């Protein structure tokens, strides 16, 4: 089945995809649409509705009332529906993967993997939710000084209300369900604002939830450009929590949002520190996987290599040999390197490359670009005065900085505004742990490239890389608040007889 056909036919109105509210697919009253440009052909591939502020207001009201009933729905029933949605999503992996290929130029096999991983994430969340949300606490008062045993305190976790979910273009399905599933299992309702590039994949994914039979109004999806409806959504009084994944936009949202819980998964400049005793073949493979998969458009991509000078020549040679094996071309051919998401993104990457050239970096390959397609490039002898030493290219361009000591590497890592992940390669586990402790990042991987998954691991950024901790369990907890009920017993002088 192709995208927009079969069970997905009802989400299309002519050549424009509808938005989803009150359990129905609708056309926006504005009559305006937003074009989604195929990064490979650079032509309009799809169109989505440009939702208006009135439509957002309506959706917020619907989400608020639907949430009240949903919170009363037994946990096992919520889990059952999530399992159903997961199965439907996996069943329709082909048409959804097709959208990912056309909207964000994700290599064909990776696109299928993203959908299947998302189904697994939903199922795991349902199971984890049943376990952790079924537990509470029981406290008695006489453990605190001055108190008699006259108060019994019961705690449980209750939902926050309406969760606004805003994922980025690079994982529009996986990073949407990583918000939707925890929100729903915890008894919340959802308003999803998908990224423009990735919106149609997101709408297909939402239709799988629709087919699973969730109550009307509980799940909603409004489309439109973030720059146009973003502020209205994030500052809307009907929103009780924002779960956002993306770049600097998240810093702006954090400043503008009201007094509500925020989950912010933002950018990174993940450093790969390579010590003298490292297994250089292993490092080279991980640099390729970490730095160049999905053309470097991953928050946890290796974004700077910090290698001890004495092994730098050998490492660069090995990485160069592996770069030469990467295939470059369209996502339909499952090429390793595919066009980056937009022309502006390609121009930004080119700006970093030209700056490095002007300041004397060594180009290990010739710089080559056709449209949005940029050939993989390793830049050696990068110095801290070059922009690429600090900025996130979000493309297949990787800087190597040669260092004279481990301390120099840690210093570079910690001088970054970002603090998402990092990795260290050494055979000395004691040293690795000390370096991990010294690196100011949310996660450090020892002898492997940074990675978000498996999806139940805690995942968090510090500094400009985020607020809060994600991963399935943490996200469920984050989307709840603690409610306590205190049973007050008579004073100790009271007699029962
Ligand atoms: P982005 O430009 O910040 O956009 C992210 C989302 O925000 C999109 O849905 C976008 O919608 C929306 N948006 C734009 N302006 C908005 C506004 N004023 N208010 C509310 N929403 C608004 O990021 P991106 O280019 O899609 O993604 C790449 C970035 O995400 C990189 O920095 C990457 O490191 C980061 N990322 C982080 C993680 C993590 O877990 N830490 C994971 C993946 C990616 P439109 O598309 O309509 O503009």
């Amino acid at each position: 089945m192709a995208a927009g056909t079969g069970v997905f036919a009802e989400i299309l109105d002519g050549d424009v995809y509808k938005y989803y509210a009150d359990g129905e697919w609708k056309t926006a009253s504005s009559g305006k649409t937003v074009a989604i440009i195929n990064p490979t052909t650079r032509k309009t591939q799809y169109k989505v509705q440009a939702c208006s502020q009135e439509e957002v207001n309506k959706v917020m009201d619907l989400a608020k009332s639907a949430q009240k009933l949903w919170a009363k729905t037994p946990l096992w029933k919520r889990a059952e529906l999530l399992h159903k949605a997961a199965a439907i999503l996996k069943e329709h992996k082909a048409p959804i993967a097709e959208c990912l290929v056309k909207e964000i130029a994700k290599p064909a096999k990776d696109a299928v993997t993203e959908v299947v991983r998302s189904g697994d994430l939903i199922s795991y969340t349902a199971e984890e939710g049943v376990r952790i949300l079924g537990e509470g606490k029981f406290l008695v008062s006489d453990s605190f000084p001055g108190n008699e045993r006259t108060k019994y305190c019961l705690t449980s976790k209750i939902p926050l209300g309406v969760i606004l979910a805003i994922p980025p273009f690079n994982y529009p399905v996986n990073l949407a369900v990583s918000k939707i599933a925890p929100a729903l299992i915890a008894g919340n309702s959802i308003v999803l604002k998908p990224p423009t590039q990735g919106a149609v994949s997101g709408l297909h994914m939402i239709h799988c939830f629709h087919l699973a039979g969730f109550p009307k109004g509980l799940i909603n999806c409004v489309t439109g450009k973030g720059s146009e409806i973003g502020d209205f959504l994030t500052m809307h009084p009907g929103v009780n929590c924002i779960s956002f994944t993306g770049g600097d936009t998240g810093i702006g949202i954090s400043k503008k949002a009201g007094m509500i819980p925020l989950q912010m998964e933002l950018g990174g400049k993940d450093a790969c520190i390579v010590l003298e005793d490292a297994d250089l073949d292993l490092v080279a493979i991980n640099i390729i996987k970490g730095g160049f998969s999905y053309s470097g458009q991953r928050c946890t991509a290796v974004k700077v290599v910090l290698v001890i000078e004495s092994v730098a020549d050998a490492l660069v040679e090995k990485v160069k040999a592996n770069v030469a094996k990467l295939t470059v071309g369209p996502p339909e051919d499952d090429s390793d390197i595919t066009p980056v998401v937009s022309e502006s993104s390609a121009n930004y990457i080119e700006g970093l490359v030209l700056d490095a050239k002007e300041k004397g970096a060594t180009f290990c390959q010739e710089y080559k670009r056709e449209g949005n397609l940029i050939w993989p490039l390793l830049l050696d002898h990068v110095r801290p005065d070059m922009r690429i030493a600090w900025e996130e290219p979000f493309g297949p361009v990787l800087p190597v900085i040669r260092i004279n000591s481990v301390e120099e590497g840690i210093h570079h890592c910690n001088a970054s505004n970002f603090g998402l992940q990092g990795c260290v390669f050494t055979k000395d586990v004691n040293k690795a742990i000390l370096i991990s402790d010294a690196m100011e990042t949310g996660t450090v991987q020892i002898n492997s490239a940074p990675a978000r998954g498996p999806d139940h691991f805690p995942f968090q950024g510090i500094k400009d890389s985020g607020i809060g901790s994600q991963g399935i369990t943490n996200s469920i907890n984050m989307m709840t608040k603690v409610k306590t009920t205190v049973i007050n017993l008579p004073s100790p002088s009271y007699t029962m007889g």
Side-chain angles (χ1 to χ4, degrees), residues 349-369:
I349 298 163
E350 185 161 291
L352 295 180
V353 170
L354 296 181
D355 174 77
K357 185 171 192 178
E358 205 179 289
K359 292 174 183 160
T362 304
F363 280 50
C364 298
Q365 298 79 21
E366 191 192 340
Y367 173 64
K368 195 173 163 195
R369 170 181 171 185

Side-chain angles (χ1 to χ4, degrees), residues 317-360:
E317 277 314 307
K318 284 181 192 291
V319 178
K320 255 169 84 172
N322 282 295
V323 167
K325 292 182 202 156
L326 292 171
T327 55
V328 181
E332 287 83 356
D333 292 355
D334 207 35
S335 310
D336 297 315
I337 304 295
T338 56
V340 295
V341 71
S342 63
E343 188 172 350
S344 63
S345 179
N347 291 344
Y348 178 76
I349 298 163
E350 185 161 291
L352 295 180
V353 170
L354 296 181
D355 174 77
K357 185 171 192 178
E358 205 179 289
K359 292 174 183 160

